Amino acid sequence: MTDALPPPGCPAAEPAEDSYFRKGCNPLAETGRSKLQNQRAVLNQQILKAVRLRAGAENLLRATNNNKVREQVLLELSFVNSDLQILKEELEGLNISVEVYQNTEETFSIPLVPLGLKETKEVDFTVPLKDFILEHYSEDSSEYEDEIADLMDLRQACRTPSRDEAGTEMLISYFLQLGHVENRFFPPTRHMGILFTWYDSFTGVPVCQQNLLLEKASILFNIGALYTQIGTRCNRQTKTGLENAVDAFQRAAGVLSYLKETFTHTPSYDMSPAMLNVLVKMMLAQARECVFEQISLPGIRNEFFTLVKMTQEVAKVGEVYMLVNSAMNQEPVKENIPYSWSKLAQIKSDHYKALAHYFIATILCDHELQSSDDEDQQEKALSQLYDYVPEGVMVLTILKDKVQRKQLGKAHLRKAIVYHEEALRVCSLCKKLRNIDVLQEVLTAAHKRSLLKYAQQDKEDDFLSLIQAPDILPKTEHKVEMVAPQFSKVKVKDFFHRLGPLSVFSAKQRWTAPRTIHFCCEAGELGFSLKGGSPVQTYCLDPVCSAALMGLKEGDYIVSVGGVDCKWLGVNEVLEKFKSMGEQPIEIEVISCQDTAASMHSKSATYSVGMQKTYSLICLAMEEDKIDQTKKAPPKLPFLSWGTKNRQKAASTLCLPSAVAGSSQIKKKLSPFTLLSTESSLY
């Protein structure tokens, strides 16, 4: 029940195909991530308490007409709003703690942004699944306690996955296992009474649903988030480390894109289509940044064509970060994206644009056209750097004329200095970013390098230099694309395999209780034929044969022969069992199909971009740590629902509620530079 697949290098107790990696990180380990996560879990609970108080005060304010009561409630709301603001700032401070996510080696690179894992509460599957096995499958549910325990062990381990390939495989295995569980135990016509609670990774506000789709979507988000943490953890001072980082960010983008396309509307801000679109762009931008670092890792030679290539490559990095910053400042993402993320994207855009202008300035200032140089090739290469050139300026003339070349080079240096100064200014205005020492060091060093280069140039013609440096045309020879999740590479075995083939024994098909049939072969004839795969089905039943007289019906499925389970046996194997009994009485168990439930709806979750004003009443109504398992689910549409007809009704109302009209509202974005892992256990 608790067997685990050890990490590479550790001996396995049994073959890998028959075991599952169910152990996450040590939840009691006193690591940097565990301490931060513990503080984050406490803040999540405090935010939930404050949100509940706020929702109650808003309800009272709407319900009363007494002016004195209204004044008192408005005063209370102002205190609650202030408390929420403080809690959000504390959460932001934890999320900006990038040191625990970055590589431990000393590095001189701008930090990358990882996503934090969504945090969840424990879920007890025992009672609902055992009841369903007894009711729906008419089997002794006590025989499936180990399987249920395995499922719960796997889920618990997924709250603290190791930050490596084994961790991602474990999350994927649980995601695939949820597909089996959904088909086995979650009929489309009713809820199972299992409440799933997941915390928004940006706000800390919980979402509660009796819908397995929330669980599946959240696990997908965590798979993508774990890939981002693997990417930021890679050693960016080595070629292998940068290759692994690029691969990790491309995989993260692929998983998040798959989540956006598969679960088109989700009940929390961090998984909304608009937010996921921005996150995908950000991960691809970071992959592009790592590609540039990979190209420049051996060093950048001060050679004409090498600098031309590097100019366009680094200009491409600046362009993609500019697009990321633009996307982060669009509604509805603008109100929820961490403020420091937006500013960091702007800083990186300015920084890499400045590097592009510095490189082209180096070309113009340090390289003169020699008689041995290929004039046409240099003219073509330089002209490809510009979308346009200043009026009256010819590229070939610039190459041949030392004065014009110096003037244009100095113009590029001035533009590089302007971009560097803007990056430093934006960094100084963001409290969270200016506390990151390595970021300040990289920006300052690049700025000083451009200033030094400018100081080395002749200055007697500065007052005559009216030429403006044209923009650089970005171009790259290295593709950065999303890598779609490859779930098929992770092999999982259905925990509830003993229930029978999933195509037959599923939650959407109803069966009679197993009936025992005793019969004898007459003259070596069974009196019926068998067809189908597993399990086999009776047909061409002779109505006067011994089996028919004992209650066998046309179309019955045979689930056991002689007390031996045969749900997974084919026609030939079942016939062999019959033949082995000879003339002895035969005992079989059969089931009959009662009806077929409606087919599953098309995959489409529900989410409303206009999630304003109120906090989820479902979440407020639920007790924090206990749920009445026997209580029937209310006939309310879930936030995540299949199909498109009910999207309006199923729109989520989950968010931090705004203050009611007439009361002051403090608007401040959560601004984590990097989100922490949000498992509620320490690790």
Side-chain angles (χ1 to χ4, degrees), residues 87-99:
L87 291 173
K88 288 166 64 178
E89 290 177 357
E90 290 182 14
L91 185 61
E92 175 185 339
L94 293 180
N95 291 336
I96 204 66
S97 301
V98 299
E99 291 83 3

Side-chain angles (χ1 to χ4, degrees), residues 326-345:
S326 176
M328 287 179 174
N329 285 283
Q330 300 296 321
E331 296 293 346
V333 175
K334 183 179 180 180
E335 296 300 320
N336 303 295
I337 200 75
Y339 177 74
S340 59
W341 287 12
S342 174
K343 292 307 171 187
L344 183 65

